[in-house]
Amino acid sequence: MTQPWFRWKHQRPDSFSLIELLLVVALLGILSSWSLITHGRNERAAEAHALVLELGSWLAEISMAPEERNEACTVTIQPGSNLSQGTVIGSVQPASCALASQSVIPGGGRSSTRYNLGASHTTWTYTRRGALTLETGSGARSATEDITIRVNAEGQPPLLCLRISGTLGLIRFGKNNDSASTAGDCTDWSRL
């Protein structure tokens, strides 16, 4: 028995058409390129977070040394732009104030991320009981203002900050997620 012609025309074939396959391939290409861009941005942000946390722990170690060793410890931060892994960004004198006398930008082997680092003051001294003195052109003076160190990866947000209070030397971490802010100041000090 033969089938009527209208029934044969409305049967769906068992395969995909070329247009359907091309649309799926194009959609997968768009999604994968978007995910690669997002992954790269997130990886750079995570590396910047690691840099700020490592710098903060290095400074915390130095801030405790004067009380333990009964000697002042002078920190020098070296700001710059387009800094790569292995670059020295800070040093301490005397070297006995920390396990590592220098702070360098960490790297995971294949990382090619560049950093921008700025500081409101580049040299200060930790004295006993957490007091800070700032080194200025006219000599040392007691620190009453906070010291802020700003970091971002390749000039992209988020801007991350490390703030050292001028009175006690306490360290706080902050950020600014504003997409336009890569050189201003941090606005969120609640968490990193």
Side-chain angles (χ1 to χ4, degrees):
M1 179 171 210
T2 62
Q3 294 182 345
W5 67 272
F6 60 87
R7 200 171 209 192
W8 178 78
K9 277 194 157 206
H10 293 293
Q11 285 181 342
R12 185 159 177 94
D14 291 340
S15 61
F16 296 106
S17 70
L18 181 60
I19 292 175
E20 290 171 330
L21 289 175
L22 288 175
L23 285 173
V24 168
V25 168
L27 183 61
L28 288 175
I30 291 169
L31 288 175
S32 64
S33 66
W34 176 76
S35 66
L36 285 174
I37 291 168
T38 302
H39 174 70
R41 188 179 307 130
N42 290 342
E43 186 176 21
R44 285 188 298 276
E47 289 172 351
H49 277 86
L51 171 61
V52 170
L53 290 173
E54 191 167 314
L55 182 60
S57 66
W58 182 72
L59 290 171
E61 177 187 1
I62 294 169
S63 71
M64 292 184 280
E67 197 67 36
E68 296 170 0
R69 300 183 182 280
N70 198 23
E71 64 181 343
C73 299
T74 302
V75 174
T76 303
I77 296 294
Q78 298 156 355
S81 59
N82 205 20
L83 304 172
S84 62
Q85 69 180 4
T87 302
V88 175
I89 57 173
S91 59
V92 62
Q93 290 296 327
S96 61
C97 288
L99 292 175
S101 63
Q102 295 181 328
S103 178
V104 298
I105 295 177
R110 64 180 186 90
S111 175
S112 61
T113 303
R114 302 284 184 176
Y115 300 93
N116 297 326
L117 185 122
S120 60
H121 298 281
T122 57
T123 304
W124 64 91
T125 301
Y126 287 99
T127 59
R128 293 189 59 161
R129 292 179 179 52
L132 293 178
T133 57
L134 297 175
E135 306 297 323
T136 62
S138 60
R141 63 180 169 84
S142 179
T144 55
E145 59 202 60
D146 295 342
I147 299 167
T148 304
I149 300 171
R150 296 171 304 281
V151 175
N152 64 5
E154 297 181 357
Q156 296 179 1
L159 174 69
L160 304 173
C161 295
L162 189 140
R163 180 185 290 166
I164 305 159
S165 73
T167 53
L168 295 175
L170 300 175
I171 297 173
R172 292 190 66 194
F173 297 99
K175 65 181 176 181
N176 187 341
N177 281 326
D178 183 8
S179 61
S181 180
T182 57
D185 201 4
C186 289
T187 56
D188 183 7
W189 293 95
S190 60
R191 64 185 185 278
L192 184 59

